[in-house]
Amino acid sequence: MKIKKIKAIDCNTAVAIFILTNLPSIKLFFSSAVLNVVCFVMLIISFLLKEKLYFETTEKKEAVFSVLIILICCICMAFVAGAQVNVDTYKILFSILCVLLVSLVLNYNTAELVVKLYCVWALFLSIYHIFIGITFNPSMGQSYLTLSVPLGAFLTVLLTMLLIFKLSILAKLSYFCCLLVVLLALSSLLSRSAIIFPILISFSITLFFFFKNWRSNKSSLFFLLLFVFFALFYLSNNFDLISEFRQLDRIERTITNMSEEPRVRIYEQVLSWIVDSPLHGYGLGSPFVMMGGGYPHNIFLDLLLNGGVLLLMITLPFLILYLINLTETFSAKKLNSWRVISASLSLFLFLQWNTSFSLNSLHIPFTFILVFISLRSVKTENTFR
């Protein structure tokens, strides 16, 4: 009976985290604030049903403590005398509170299920977009990014699995078919990062494992270089035929006219504001007002603009813990496949939130960082080339 209760709590937690991290894409089909309440209540239920808080590793305990400090600091910044509270202030606080709840209820069993649900959802979105089509409602804050983020994350996982893991022929064929489906869905969107980041992450991981175990990993690097070579060759010789793939133009502009990029101008403006008030920033939620509903498009600049060096320094321990775990993951001799998958997934989302999103949705990358850290306690196994 006790085992069934634990499994039920884990399932409830996994579904709650799945909804929480996929709220933007779920709202493409059913847009309601009720979803926010539902996933929050489900997390509360999981927390209350737990007989005791148990942290599998020291790193998990440190992560919980770091998030708690961030939340306390943000609350203080939001409600000190003279602070200008706005709707974005409450969104940021809600986002960090959700991260804290996730850190308290997440364990390695739940973490595996969350990753599986996320990937299945991304595959569903890809197929739905190809055969039926998904439209975006700008008035609801929806854009191509709403769809490209889960697709890009899934693409990162697929590339990592195909290049790093020892797979059967059937598994390789299945994952390759999924890869083609995701690429076809992404081809009609404007996202550059959903193409660039997965290739960058998978290439970096493959290169690392190649130099670490060069005798047994030659095939991984060979196939990756071969893929990149033929992709570039095809694009350069058939650009007119694929001009409808609109993100190619944006990728080209990123390389040839970086100074013309809107984000560069945003960064310059934000940096000038930060220089004027470096210590404490302008208050939690201030970018929403200062930028007319916009945001700095970078986590670190966003932290500095919201709370200055103080907020950045309080957030750094959590990010340093993440960096240490990444380093240890790719330095270990034997690893569980889920550990590497969650590492690549969290890396994509962290990079994505450094180019395209604000602090009010910080729960998405931070949750998957927690998923990655939670999988540290999984028994290791050699599943690599």
Side-chain angles (χ1 to χ4, degrees):
M1 188 69 181
K2 186 176 181 180
I3 295 176
K4 289 183 178 180
K5 179 183 176 182
I6 293 173
K7 288 183 177 180
I9 294 173
D10 287 345
C11 288
N12 179 74
T13 303
V15 173
I17 295 174
F18 164 73
I19 296 173
L20 179 69
T21 54
N22 286 282
L23 278 171
S25 56
I26 292 175
K27 288 183 178 181
L28 289 169
F29 303 94
F30 177 71
S31 183
S32 172
V34 174
L35 288 171
N36 302 60
V37 178
V38 167
C39 64
F40 184 76
V41 170
M42 290 176 72
L43 288 173
I44 292 289
I45 290 172
S46 291
F47 175 72
L48 294 176
L49 289 178
K50 277 185 172 288
E51 294 181 358
K52 63 177 181 178
L53 292 178
Y54 173 68
F55 305 113
E56 297 92 348
T57 62
T58 303
E59 288 76 11
K60 179 71 180 300
K61 188 183 297 184
E62 291 171 350
V64 173
F65 183 73
S66 298
V67 174
L68 179 61
I69 295 299
I70 294 170
L71 178 61
I72 293 172
C73 179
C74 287
I75 291 173
C76 293
M77 288 180 175
F79 299 108
V80 294
Q84 296 182 351
V85 179
N86 57 65
V87 64
D88 215 46
T89 306
Y90 293 108
K91 286 182 179 179
I92 295 172
L93 291 175
F94 176 78
S95 182
I96 300 173
L97 178 59
C98 286
V99 174
L100 179 61
L101 280 172
V102 168
S103 68
L104 291 171
V105 299
L106 188 65
N107 58 46
Y108 61 86
N109 290 324
T110 306
E112 283 190 13
L113 186 54
V114 169
V115 174
K116 291 176 183 177
L117 289 172
Y118 194 91
C119 292
V120 170
W121 176 248
L123 181 60
F124 165 77
L125 288 174
S126 301
I127 296 171
Y128 190 94
H129 184 59
I130 292 170
F131 291 101
I132 300 177
I134 295 176
T135 56
F136 310 110
N137 187 351
S139 64
M140 300 294 295
Q142 296 173 357
S143 68
Y144 65 89
L145 287 168
T146 309
L147 181 58
S148 67
V149 167
L151 267 59
F154 187 40
L155 179 61
T156 306
V157 171
L158 289 170
L159 284 172
T160 302
M161 293 179 74
L162 285 168
L163 293 169
I164 303 298
F165 299 159
K166 292 178 180 178
L167 302 170
S168 65
I169 299 297
L170 181 59
K172 287 181 180 179
L173 183 60
S174 300
Y175 292 144
F176 187 74
C177 289
C178 291
L179 181 72
L180 293 178
V181 170
V182 174
L183 286 174
L184 185 58
L186 281 171
S187 67
S188 62
L189 303 174
L190 288 171
S191 179
R192 293 166 290 187
S193 54
I195 299 291
I196 295 174
F197 288 160
I199 294 176
L200 178 64
I201 292 169
S202 58
F203 182 83
S204 299
I205 295 175
T206 303
L207 204 62
F208 180 88
F209 275 103
F210 171 75
F211 285 113
K212 182 182 174 184
N213 301 299
W214 66 274
R215 294 179 185 276
S216 57
N217 285 336
K218 292 179 181 179
S219 60
S220 295
L221 185 64
F222 172 76
F223 283 119
L224 180 60
L225 292 175
L226 194 66
F227 170 77
V228 173
F229 172 77
F230 280 108
L232 292 175
F233 179 80
Y234 180 79
L235 292 176
S236 61
N237 288 279
N238 298 276
F239 192 81
D240 293 336
L241 297 176
I242 54 174
S243 59
E244 67 272 15
F245 291 1
R246 296 176 293 168
Q247 75 269 43
L248 291 177
D249 179 59
R250 301 189 76 217
I251 294 173
E252 182 185 17
R253 284 192 288 110
T254 302
I255 300 171
T256 59
N257 296 302
M258 191 64 181
S259 59
E260 302 273 329
E261 276 297 300
R263 282 185 179 84
V264 174
R265 293 194 289 270
I266 292 173
Y267 294 158
E268 291 173 350
Q269 177 63 68
V270 170
L271 284 171
S272 67
W273 284 331
I274 291 171
V275 169
D276 292 336
S277 182
L279 185 59
H280 52 73
Y282 294 88
L284 202 66
S286 56
F288 183 79
V289 177
M290 297 172 70
M291 304 181 72
Y295 47 89
H297 289 267
N298 180 275
I299 287 177
F300 298 99
L301 294 179
D302 217 338
L303 289 168
L304 287 168
L305 196 59
N306 277 277
V309 175
L310 177 60
L311 183 57
L312 177 62
M313 294 302 293
I314 288 173
T315 309
L316 275 180
F318 181 80
L319 298 177
I320 291 173
L321 179 64
Y322 175 49
L323 180 62
I324 292 172
N325 272 264
L326 284 174
T327 305
E328 291 178 351
T329 293
F330 297 120
S331 299
K333 292 182 179 179
K334 292 184 179 181
L335 294 171
N336 183 276
S337 55
W338 289 107
R339 181 80 167 152
V340 176
I341 289 171
S342 61
S344 63
L345 184 55
S346 63
L347 270 172
F348 171 81
L349 293 171
F350 181 71
L351 291 175
Q352 186 73 74
W353 256 254
N354 271 287
T355 58
S356 304
F357 295 96
S358 69
L359 291 187
N360 64 24
S361 57
L362 194 65
H363 57 276
I364 297 178
F366 272 33
T367 291
F368 276 97
I369 288 175
L370 288 170
V371 166
F372 166 61
I373 293 174
S374 296
L375 286 169
R376 181 185 180 87
S377 58
V378 176
K379 184 179 179 181
T380 58
E381 58 181 24
N382 189 6
T383 57
F384 303 102
R385 294 183 185 277

